[in-house]
Amino acid sequence: MTAGDLTEPRTSEGRALLDVLDRHLPDLAAGAAEHDRNATFPLDAVRRMGADGVLGATVPREFGGLGVADVHDVCLAVKRIAEADASVALSLHMQFSRGITMSYEREHGTDTGRALAERLLRLMGTGGALVSGALKDAGATTELVPADDGGWRLTGRKILVSMAPFATHLVVAAQTRPASGPPLLASAFLPADTPGLKAPDNFNGMGMRASASTEVVFRDCPVPAADVFLRGPVGVRNDAAMAGQTVSSIGLLGVYAGIAQAARDFAVAGVARRGGAPAAAVRTLVAELDVKLYTLRTALAAALVNADHHAHRTTVDPDERGRLMMAPFQYAKLVVNRTAAAIVEDSMTLMGGASFTTSHPLSRHYRDVRAGWFMQPFTYADAVDHLSAHALGTDPEGSTP
């Protein structure tokens, strides 16, 4: 492993996951163009990977998983998948993230949260559960309202929910609307066949077209009390929560690192096939590609090392821990989003006008890499607010803490 570079796993579990993926990635890459063209989710390929243990990659071994717990190794696996098909990498990161967050919930959550986390981990590790995360509201807030039986009723609509039409279960970000007391942030766990839940297979995005990132509609869906994780009050700043956000989301940057790697490799191989001595401008672009890719990987690798370092330091001040994890994550996210897009654009310059056709591999990379700016946490504007406040010693709302 090269120090500070996102090229090799750090743990034996991470190596085992990469070894499994190596058996599947050539077929995944071979079908990527067709699935992109038709906007179809490669369910058969995902099921084959699931039969080989990939869907339980981040589930502890005691529950039937591979036991990958190092976020560096999760991100590296996502990067390798993205080199073959970024849409699948985006979708599988949701699965990997769920294993990590549920493992933490099982260790540190409430009694109800620990029991629910263990149940979900068993479903992922031994039952082949495909779990999608529904996070982004479409307009009005998705709400949990108390039901007469002591449980909840869920109503709302989410957008860009990757692999939702094919998921067996969904974890849904919501807010409670209790009869009394303040509303709380919550996460609801629903089987895909819950009455009132609809996830039509109709995604037609500009990029990530094979990710099945559809909308999901919840109409008065019944949710037992035991299937809801209750969090903190709505609207109250909670820096401690940024630790969990970092651990669950930083691996997603592997998607865009993988796109950048695939674009660079395609362009450099194309230049080499031409033969002869490349023009000075071509040699300059090739050298710049590798400088940019190294910058991207090292920035991301440093943030991953930082996240792994702080992830289990639960005895320190939780707010400080969250801040120490989120800022480097956001530094890396901005570097990755900017640099991956620049690498794809430079690769297209090297390949010429052919890369501007919809069937060209670089055209797919160009469309897919744009999705990084919209991924939480944070979008570009939110990241600017957070990082400027971090530098100036103010909170994101502009007041002195």
Side-chain angles (χ1 to χ4, degrees):
M1 175 179 177
T2 304
D5 197 4
L6 189 64
T7 54
E8 295 294 331
R10 303 200 316 163
T11 67
S12 58
E13 292 85 0
R15 168 54 64 192
L17 174 58
L18 292 182
D19 289 344
V20 172
L21 289 173
D22 283 345
R23 300 198 289 268
H24 295 275
L25 294 184
D27 287 342
L28 191 66
E34 180 180 358
H35 285 292
D36 174 76
R37 182 170 57 252
N38 299 326
T40 51
F41 182 72
L43 183 59
D44 289 343
V46 171
R47 283 175 171 166
R48 287 192 295 271
M49 287 191 282
D52 233 354
V54 172
L55 297 183
T58 55
V59 173
R61 290 184 182 276
E62 63 187 289
F63 300 122
L66 298 181
V68 182
D70 186 283
V71 294
H72 174 282
D73 289 357
V74 171
C75 188
L76 177 56
V78 170
K79 174 181 175 290
R80 295 281 180 86
I81 299 168
E83 291 175 39
D85 190 328
S87 291
V88 176
L90 176 67
S91 298
L92 287 183
H93 173 266
M94 306 301 171
Q95 182 84 359
F96 296 160
S97 173
R98 202 62 51 211
I100 291 174
T101 56
M102 290 302 102
S103 295
Y104 186 87
E105 189 77 38
R106 177 174 168 266
E107 292 183 22
H108 304 286
T110 64
D111 289 344
T112 299
R114 286 196 296 269
L116 177 53
E118 182 169 329
R119 181 152 46 94
L120 184 50
L121 287 169
R122 289 189 187 278
L123 285 170
M124 293 173 64
T126 60
L130 193 61
V131 185
S132 183
L135 304 178
K136 188 174 181 61
D137 282 316
T141 300
T142 301
E143 289 188 323
L144 286 161
V145 177
D148 294 339
D149 61 2
W152 302 89
R153 311 292 291 193
L154 180 69
T155 297
R157 184 163 69 95
K158 299 290 189 179
I159 59 172
L160 300 177
V161 185
S162 296
M163 68 181 178
F166 308 100
T168 61
H169 301 79
L170 289 92
V171 175
V172 185
Q175 294 182 13
T176 64
R177 184 157 57 87
S180 62
L184 300 176
L185 299 171
S187 297
F189 173 58
L190 287 79
D193 59 359
T194 297
L197 191 162
K198 302 294 182 184
D201 184 14
N202 60 4
F203 182 60
N204 188 26
M206 180 182 77
M208 299 293 182
R209 289 175 51 78
S211 65
S213 296
T214 63
E215 68 172 3
V216 182
V217 178
F218 309 95
R219 293 194 175 96
D220 204 30
C221 297
V223 186
D227 288 357
V228 174
F229 299 97
L230 294 176
R231 312 297 187 187
V234 174
V236 176
R237 177 171 167 174
N238 183 2
D239 286 356
M242 293 192 294
Q245 292 173 330
T246 298
V247 170
S248 65
S249 300
I250 193 170
L252 190 59
L253 298 183
V255 174
Y256 306 100
I259 293 171
Q261 184 74 59
R264 175 269 178 204
D265 291 349
F266 185 91
V268 171
V271 170
R273 283 195 300 271
R274 293 171 184 165
V282 171
R283 297 198 305 273
T284 300
L285 270 178
V286 168
E288 289 288 349
L289 278 179
D290 278 1
V291 170
K292 289 174 182 174
L293 190 59
Y294 183 78
T295 300
L296 183 158
R297 289 200 311 253
T298 51
L300 177 52
L304 290 165
V305 169
N306 181 74
D308 277 319
H309 173 72
H310 290 290
H312 300 288
R313 298 180 69 216
T314 55
T315 59
V316 303
D317 177 74
D319 288 339
E320 180 65 12
R321 174 172 167 258
R323 292 189 290 269
L324 288 170
M325 295 175 73
M326 182 57 77
F329 172 21
Q330 293 308 307
Y331 297 146
K333 187 174 186 298
L334 288 179
V335 170
V336 169
N337 289 158
R338 287 172 174 157
T339 310
I343 289 170
V344 174
E345 290 170 2
D346 286 351
S347 297
M348 293 178 73
T349 299
L350 284 169
M351 292 295 94
S355 64
F356 202 64
T357 60
T358 57
S359 61
H360 197 278
L362 289 178
S363 171
R364 172 162 52 90
H365 297 326
Y366 184 83
R367 290 180 282 108
D368 287 348
V369 81
R370 301 293 160 181
W373 290 107
F374 305 104
M375 297 295 173
Q376 295 283 357
F378 297 121
T379 64
Y380 177 74
D382 291 336
V384 167
D385 283 346
H386 178 82
L387 293 176
S388 62
H390 180 76
L392 297 172
T394 61
D395 68 25
E397 291 74 35
S399 61
T400 301

